[in-house]
Amino acid sequence: MKLQTRRILKATAACLAALLIAGTASALPQNLIETSAAEVTVANPFTWADVPDEDIIRVGNDYYLAGTTMHTVPGLVILHSKDLVNWENISYCFDRFDFDDDAFSLKNHKEIYGQGIWAPAIRYANGQFYVFSNINGKGLQCYTSKDIRGPWKHHNMQGRIYDLSVLFDDDGKIYAIHGYGEVKCTELKPDMSGPIEETERTIIPEGNAVGEGHHMYKINGMYYLISTDYKPNGRTLCSRSKSIWGPYETVTITADETFGYHAAPLTQVPRGEKYRIGEDGTKFGIPQVDKDATACTNIHQGGIVEDQNGQWWALLMMDFHSIGRTVTLAPVTWKDGWPMLGLEGNLGRAPRTWFKPNISLNEKPHAPYERNEDFNGKALGRVWQWNHNPDNSLWSLTERPGFMRLRTGNPVGKLLEARNTLTQRTIGPRCQGTVCMDISHMLPGDHAGLFSFCSQPGGLTVIRKADGYALQMSDREETKAENSISGSPWSASNATIIWTE
């Protein structure tokens, strides 16, 4: 399918041309069940949205969560909560990737799909916030701000440190804990200019059943490292030591907790399985699910936090089918010095539904994102992200108030190379998106509409042809259906498309 948008494309309402749709939000989170003024229960996964690789901290009475954003911008999302259940998107660490590299901007057939920036560690020390993360091919990055809402200062620390946790120790030293299987510890320079390379040491050797996604804490003088492994069955582990340098002992604090959900097949590059060829020539396949493995479907990778009443909680992610990596909340019970997930008598298992933390009971339930958009503001709502760096000269919210106007750059031959694709994350358990477009300025050959934007995208698009308009339904491989459009309600100034996921 050839995609190009010439001249002017105008769109308004919930979504617009060539974008990932994410549905309208309910008045209350669908996972929140009010039982009385004093008792509120929460069902997992409590986010019902994709917030991968989350890390959690508490500063006073406020909780902050940082999550992976990969190739989309603005990048490194920061959520805020007063009660660990109701969250609000309040910030991103950067507006665009500031590297002079075509791949970050979808130029010259280069891209960073599934790469970019990932697995952040958020910390508060020395009167400011720190968010550490890795960018593929660019090394360790750090963003600092005295205000969680920004602006953020970017420190390119470089160095091959990824999937890390950071600990600000009592003596003022700063440590990065990183690696898969073989866990390493490296001291960082206080000015965030880089790691102190000569300090790097292995603190947990390979073969000790420790995985990745590290979260390091110092609690009552003891060092605790939370990590995860998911092959073939998922589990979350805790390692502890009296010294940051070890030796460490390790136990499993939860394993195979899926809340009864089943693993789903994942689109992937094949390894001997039958595969199909996508429109861009990529080989991909959907292999059968291993029914004997939980893999990433279980809760895994995340952090722990102590609330104001001394109760500890774990926020772990789980791969939830097409929604992405959702976040779960589980009580932590300390047993023999270990932070075990679950309740006494059933340690290691997380409740599917449990009582909301007994804090901020007056917090009004709300969704983390306002997903509807009338484009009447001076800036896009925080729910929106661009697919790779956008070309800011080709879009405007001010040229026609109440509309987003998109202008054409260089025509491309496939969706995955189309710049200025505006996206939202899908939400569960089902979602619906609606877009209203003024298509009167489209030229023959132009496509515009809604896409479920993933490794195997599909969409509903309006196509301008020499003799009029057509509505086309397609996926990555082929056109599924195409119908001519004429008459009401398909006027050129009011084309409405609805997509249900």
Side-chain angles (χ1 to χ4, degrees), residues 1-7 9 407-415 418 442-448 462-464:
M1 179 173 65
K2 186 176 182 180
L3 251 103
Q4 53 182 336
T5 307
R6 301 178 182 176
R7 306 287 176 111
L9 170 68
R407 299 181 181 276
T408 294
N410 295 325
V412 296
K414 48 182 176 264
L415 171 64
M442 292 176 67
L443 296 181
D446 288 352
H447 292 225
V462 174
I463 306 171
R464 177 65 189 272

Side-chain angles (χ1 to χ4, degrees), residues 43-236:
N44 283 313
F46 75 88
T47 55
W48 270 125
D50 182 47
V51 187
D53 308 325
E54 73 285 348
D55 194 25
I56 176 78
I57 60 170
R58 177 172 68 89
V59 180
N61 293 323
D62 297 283
Y63 298 86
Y64 301 104
L65 183 151
T68 286
T69 49
M70 289 291 185
H71 56 275
T72 55
V73 293
L76 284 187
V77 65
I78 307 295
L79 304 182
H80 167 254
S81 177
K82 286 286 190 180
D83 60 5
L84 286 172
V85 173
N86 293 284
W87 294 86
E88 179 189 5
N89 176 352
I90 61 169
S91 182
Y92 290 94
C93 289
F94 58 91
D95 291 330
R96 62 191 294 118
F97 292 105
D98 53 355
F99 296 100
D100 185 18
D101 187 325
D102 286 352
F104 291 88
S105 300
L106 281 179
K107 293 180 179 179
N108 297 319
H109 308 290
K110 296 181 179 180
E111 44 81 9
I112 55 166
Y113 283 110
Q115 300 180 58
I117 195 159
W118 44 278
I122 183 170
R123 292 292 181 263
Y124 181 78
N126 306 316
Q128 67 178 346
F129 294 92
Y130 298 76
V131 180
F132 300 85
S133 197
N134 172 76
I135 293 181
N136 293 87
K138 304 299 180 182
L140 180 61
Q141 314 297 315
C142 179
Y143 300 85
T144 58
S145 176
K146 292 187 179 297
D147 186 341
I148 191 69
R149 298 177 184 269
W152 295 83
K153 181 179 179 181
H154 181 199
H155 310 260
N156 186 354
M157 301 180 70
Q158 304 181 44
R160 194 172 184 275
I161 294 177
Y162 59 92
D163 243 25
L164 79 158
S165 182
V166 174
L167 178 76
F168 287 79
D169 212 340
D170 302 333
D171 60 2
K173 293 185 176 180
I174 309 168
Y175 299 102
I177 296 85
H178 55 102
Y180 182 89
E182 181 184 36
V183 182
K184 298 179 180 181
C185 180
T186 305
E187 191 175 342
L188 303 179
K189 297 177 182 178
D191 62 359
M192 299 298 119
S193 59
I196 305 175
E197 299 288 356
E198 62 271 18
T199 65
E200 182 173 295
R201 289 168 51 185
T202 296
I203 60 174
I204 302 179
E206 182 77 40
N208 281 271
V210 174
E212 60 179 3
H214 304 299
H215 299 260
M216 176 66 85
Y217 307 92
K218 190 175 186 180
I219 303 170
N220 297 328
M222 184 75 74
Y223 295 87
Y224 289 88
L225 178 63
I226 308 293
S227 63
T228 190
D229 199 10
Y230 53 88
K231 294 181 180 180
N233 285 28
R235 64 190 188 278
T236 298

